[in-house]
């Protein structure tokens, strides 16, 4: 059994209310951070990016679907892979059903990867996903928004991922980018986040953070070693408390 302090309901409420004060501090800090994020300056997108979609060529402007805002999930999936990154898929499982809710608030969402659209569609069908997913394999979008890197960049050893805060450790890395489109059709890049910055968008992790065991990743070769594609988990019997002692 987990070794933990056991108290009365009244004692628990005292501790919980003390923790609530800290949660409120974090919520208020987050609100300030969100306001600061909205106030960031924008960069005009001058390149005419054309992507391969399941129904043919589409531009970056097309991906907005007539809405002013676009969120791009950069999903790691190189042309020579047969499946998308398992960790990126962990995130994607969470946002798939969110798309209609975002659309109701003038925001479109799309996944973009380097792999050809035939592979994207096949994997999308396997996972039962319904969101839009296009290929950037014939343009420089992934490289311009610094989620894909050439071997020459990696060999040079100058960190560019996460605004230079994280060294290279592979040709593909995850991220999220946000764009705004004016009524005149001008497109602006407003925000990107990478590495731990995308952590907040994983609902499963946020739920695990509420539990006594948390993410339960200590002792693994790397934190997300346990993650599998949704259809590759082996059925497991429920574990009793004695299994943690």
């Amino acid at each position: 059994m987990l070794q933990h302090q056991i108290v009365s309901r009244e004692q628990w409420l005292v501790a919980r209310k003390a923790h609530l004060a800290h949660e409120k501090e974090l919520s208020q800090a987050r609100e300030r951070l969100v306001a600061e994020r909205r106030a960031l300056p924008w960069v005009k997108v001058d390149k005419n990016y054309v992507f391969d979609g399941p129904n043919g060529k589409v531009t970056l402007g097309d991906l907005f679907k007539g809405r002013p805002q676009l969120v791009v999930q950069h999903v790691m999936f190189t042309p020579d892979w047969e499946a998308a990154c398992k960790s990126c898929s962990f995130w994607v499982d969470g946002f798939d059903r969110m798309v209609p809710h975002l659309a109701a608030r003038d925001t479109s969402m799309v996944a973009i990867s380097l792999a050809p659209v035939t592979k994207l569609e096949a994997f999308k069908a396997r996972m039962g996903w319904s969101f839009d997913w296009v290929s950037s394999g014939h343009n420089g979008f992934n490289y311009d928004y610094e989620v894909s890197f050439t071997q020459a960049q990696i060999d040079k050893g100058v960190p560019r991922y996460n605004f230079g805060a994280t060294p290279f450790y592979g040709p593909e890395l995850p991220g999220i980018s946000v764009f705004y489109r004016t009524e005149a059709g001008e497109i602006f890049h407003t925000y990107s986040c990478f590495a731990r910055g995308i952590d907040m968008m994983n609902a499963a992790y946020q739920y695990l953070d509420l539990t006594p065991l948390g993410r339960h990743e200590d002792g693994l070769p790397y934190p997300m070693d346990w993650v599998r594609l949704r259809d590759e988990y082996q059925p497991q019997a429920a574990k009793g408390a004695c299994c943690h002692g």
Side-chain angles (χ1 to χ4, degrees):
M1 182 175 178
L2 286 171
Q3 298 300 311
H4 213 82
Q5 185 181 15
I6 306 300
V7 299
S8 68
R9 172 72 177 176
E10 290 72 22
Q11 291 172 308
W12 180 86
L13 282 172
V14 171
R16 179 63 185 92
K17 288 179 179 179
H19 181 62
L20 178 61
H22 297 154
E23 289 180 330
K24 288 182 178 295
E25 290 174 3
L26 179 61
S27 294
Q28 292 164 0
R30 183 180 182 279
E31 289 169 359
R32 292 192 296 270
L33 184 69
V34 169
E36 181 180 286
R37 182 183 299 137
R38 288 197 298 267
L40 286 171
W42 298 353
V43 177
K44 186 174 181 180
V45 178
D46 292 319
K47 290 188 179 181
N48 182 31
Y49 294 104
V50 178
F51 303 90
D52 294 315
N55 298 313
K57 302 291 184 180
V58 290
T59 66
L60 181 60
D62 293 331
L63 299 179
F64 285 78
K65 291 189 168 182
R67 303 182 183 99
Q69 301 186 132
L70 176 68
V71 176
V72 173
Q73 185 86 24
H74 301 285
V75 177
M76 296 166 60
F77 196 162
T78 67
D80 58 331
W81 294 357
E82 295 305 318
C85 162
K86 63 172 184 152
S87 298
C88 289
S89 299
F90 184 30
W91 263 255
V92 171
D93 277 332
F95 81 66
D96 183 40
R97 299 301 180 184
M98 196 185 305
V99 173
H101 299 291
L102 296 177
R105 304 311 299 154
D106 301 319
T107 303
S108 293
M109 190 164 188
V110 64
I112 297 180
S113 302
L114 285 178
V117 70
T118 51
K119 286 191 174 183
L120 303 185
E121 286 295 292
F123 190 68
K124 179 177 165 181
R126 170 185 165 183
M127 294 290 102
W129 293 333
S130 59
F131 57 85
D132 293 331
W133 199 355
V134 298
S135 171
S136 59
H138 294 114
N139 64 43
F141 184 81
N142 274 40
Y143 299 95
D144 291 343
Y145 290 94
E146 299 184 336
V147 290
S148 295
F149 307 93
T150 65
Q151 190 59 49
Q153 287 177 313
I154 296 171
D155 291 343
K156 192 173 181 180
V158 178
R160 293 189 63 182
Y161 183 61
N162 198 19
F163 312 106
T166 307
F168 287 122
Y169 55 90
E172 287 259 281
L173 292 168
I176 297 171
S177 292
V178 182
F179 300 87
Y180 185 86
R181 186 175 185 268
T182 67
E183 291 185 0
E186 293 182 310
I187 298 175
F188 298 88
H189 175 221
T190 67
Y191 184 73
S192 284
C193 59
F194 312 95
R196 290 295 299 275
I198 68 173
D199 184 275
M200 60 182 174
M201 309 311 296
N202 190 307
Y205 264 155
Q206 307 314 311
Y207 277 106
L208 288 174
D209 285 345
L210 302 179
T211 68
L213 291 176
R215 302 187 184 188
H216 203 31
E217 295 178 332
D218 293 342
L220 297 178
Y222 61 94
M224 299 189 73
D225 179 63
W226 65 273
V227 174
R228 302 288 183 271
L229 295 175
R230 192 177 67 245
D231 61 358
E232 292 182 347
Y233 284 108
Q234 297 298 318
Q236 293 183 351
K239 294 181 179 180
C242 63
C243 296
H244 303 298

